Amino acid sequence: MPVSAQKDYYATLGVGRGAKAEEIRKTFRRLARKYHPDVNPGDKKAEEKFKEISEAYDVLGDEKKRAIYDRHGFYAENIPTDGFSGGGQAAGAPGFDFSGFDFSDLSTEEQKHGGFSFRDIFSQFFSRGEGAAEAAGPERGTDIEHHVHLGFRDAILGRNLRLTLARKEECAKCHGTGSAGGSATTCATCNGTGKAARQVGIMRFSGPCPDCGGTGKRRPACSACGGAGTIRKPESFEVRIPAGVDTGSRVRVSGKGNAGAKGGPRGDLLIVTEVDSHPFFERKGDNIYVKVPITLAEAALGAKVEVPTLDGPSVIRIPPGTQSGQTLRLRGKGAPSLREAGLRGDQFIEVQVVVPRVMDERTKELLREIARLNPEDPRRDLKARAGMGD
């Protein structure tokens, strides 16, 4: 969401400005169910309303975005959380305050001035160009997010992976400065003032020059990296995937991200895992769920039954009179926990009683005898539970 014109997002959701995050979330969910396009097919008004409440929740549902919106009356992605106001701004922040200003007619102003957009203004004053990087000190490199696919057992046990990634490396020619050296020249964009200004309708914006970072001087860009200070190169290395990852787990590998600027530290590598399902074991969090069939005699009389686990076969005791669907637990036989080393979940076994197919008269007679000896009616209170009376 780039820049929002001044809109009352609180009114859009129908909540007060002091509403708690939980109230905002519940209100949005209720309205989303009411106006969702799938619930209102072909209804353009409902579709438009859904877009409005989604836009409002995108801002109010995020703590940082909401803080910016509350402070300035609108939200823009590149506005820093501090230093953007008419008074008390941080050093280098543009000196203006838009709180209470009506931006509703800016679209027409943009058309009058060659399509120059409000979004461009914020991109210019709140992003760092090459010159800004030159003026700044060492900066940490950016993180890299990489998705990997794992088999079920590899995720449970953990494994080493060899990855080949294209990462930003420090330029060997300029040593990360982005400059070819030589004497500095006056910045042609700001004529050495270090400031840039733009006029949009009745509004005038000023801020640090995006090309020289406010220094007023430019040095020739490095011919190898074009002034970026880094060059993208492929590199292979080995990483360890810890035991217990699941789909959506994020494994951070320190120092394996992009190179920093001007000697700054590297960013990190964030490995996002996607794990295959298993035909027998079902995972829910750190717990494992399985279904194990037992015979009628084992359920009635009790028995010791061998069941598969992640560690191999284990024996469980089936209590006499076990019913189909009853769940038994094997403690510590689940998946390893990523949150606490050495801790594991449990394995839950759902018992499924298998009734035999009776083929001979002898078996039938035995079952009739069992029924005579055990006349209990399992459906005796069924009508009462269903509210059907006698």
Side-chain angles (χ1 to χ4, degrees):
M1 184 175 177
V3 177
S4 67
Q6 191 176 40
K7 299 178 181 179
D8 191 343
Y9 287 146
Y10 291 100
T12 299
L13 292 181
V15 297
R17 288 188 169 269
K20 302 293 185 183
E22 182 66 16
E23 180 186 350
I24 292 174
R25 183 180 64 83
K26 287 182 178 180
T27 302
F28 169 71
R29 287 187 174 181
R30 175 175 55 80
L31 294 174
R33 286 193 295 268
K34 180 179 180 181
Y35 293 107
H36 198 283
D38 291 345
V39 181
N40 304 275
D43 189 336
K44 294 298 183 182
K45 290 185 178 179
E47 181 180 350
E48 191 61 33
K49 182 66 175 179
F50 182 77
K51 291 179 181 179
E52 291 176 2
I53 63 174
S54 296
E55 178 183 336
Y57 184 69
D58 181 66
V59 173
L60 300 186
D62 184 284
E63 183 180 352
K64 291 183 179 179
K65 292 181 180 179
R66 183 181 179 184
I68 293 172
Y69 175 78
D70 287 344
R71 185 175 182 182
H72 308 299
F74 66 96
Y75 171 74
E77 285 181 350
N78 294 321
I79 296 179
T81 54
D82 58 354
F84 180 66
S85 65
Q89 64 260 33
F96 35 71
D97 182 359
F98 296 117
S99 57
F101 196 95
D102 184 7
F103 296 99
S104 58
D105 61 349
L106 273 179
S107 59
T108 57
E109 292 294 338
E110 292 172 11
Q111 294 173 5
K112 294 178 183 178
H113 296 271
F116 180 69
S117 70
F118 198 47
R119 182 190 316 178
D120 295 334
I121 297 169
F122 287 97
S123 298
Q124 176 179 347
F125 293 136
F126 294 113
S127 61
R128 303 184 68 87
E130 292 176 12
E134 180 181 335
E139 293 184 1
R140 180 183 180 275
T142 56
D143 294 336
I144 298 175
E145 185 174 289
H146 183 70
H147 292 250
V148 298
H149 186 269
L150 297 172
F152 184 85
R153 287 197 175 274
D154 286 339
I156 294 294
L157 302 176
R159 63 164 295 182
N160 292 328
L161 282 180
R162 188 159 188 82
L163 303 177
T164 300
L165 299 177
R167 304 186 301 172
K168 291 181 179 179
E169 303 290 343
E170 184 180 275
C171 177
K173 186 171 183 178
C174 68
H175 304 290
T177 65
S179 171
S183 301
T185 59
T186 301
C187 175
T189 303
C190 65
N191 294 322
T193 64
K195 296 181 179 180
R198 297 298 293 267
Q199 184 86 25
V200 180
I202 62 172
M203 300 174 62
R204 183 175 178 82
F205 299 85
S206 64
C209 174
D211 290 335
C212 67
T215 65
K217 300 291 185 180
R218 293 295 303 272
R219 294 183 183 274
C222 172
S223 59
C225 64
T230 57
I231 295 178
R232 190 174 294 276
K233 291 182 179 179
E235 182 182 351
S236 297
F237 50 88
E238 195 169 83
V239 296
R240 176 66 184 174
I241 303 297
V245 297
D246 201 356
T247 294
S249 295
R250 297 170 70 86
V251 179
R252 182 179 292 271
V253 185
S254 298
K256 290 296 183 181
N258 289 317
K262 301 196 71 173
R266 278 189 174 277
D268 297 335
L269 170 62
L270 300 175
I271 300 176
V272 183
T273 56
E274 181 181 344
V275 180
D276 285 337
S277 58
H278 193 277
F280 180 72
F281 298 108
E282 181 183 2
R283 181 175 179 179
K284 296 179 181 179
D286 293 338
N287 295 324
I288 298 294
Y289 294 80
V290 299
K291 295 179 180 179
V292 175
I294 62 173
T295 66
L296 185 61
E298 290 171 334
L301 303 176
K304 290 183 178 180
V305 176
E306 188 178 84
V307 299
T309 72
L310 299 175
D311 303 320
S314 289
V315 175
I316 60 169
R317 179 179 173 273
I318 306 295
T322 294
Q323 304 297 310
S324 190
Q326 190 170 330
T327 300
L328 306 175
R329 175 187 292 189
L330 282 173
R331 295 187 182 275
K333 292 294 184 180
S337 173
L338 288 175
R339 297 177 297 277
E340 187 173 345
L343 186 67
R344 293 183 60 173
D346 301 329
Q347 178 166 320
F348 293 87
I349 300 107
E350 181 183 328
V351 173
Q352 296 182 322
V353 179
V354 179
V355 179
R357 294 184 178 181
V358 179
M359 303 299 292
D360 60 279
E361 288 300 323
R362 173 62 178 158
T363 303
K364 292 179 182 179
E365 184 57 37
L366 289 173
L367 290 174
R368 293 188 187 102
E369 181 65 18
I370 292 173
R372 285 192 293 270
L373 294 173
N374 298 272
E376 181 181 359
D377 182 4
R379 298 178 296 278
R380 65 182 181 277
D381 60 345
L382 199 60
K383 288 184 178 180
R385 289 164 56 194
M388 299 174 63
D390 297 334

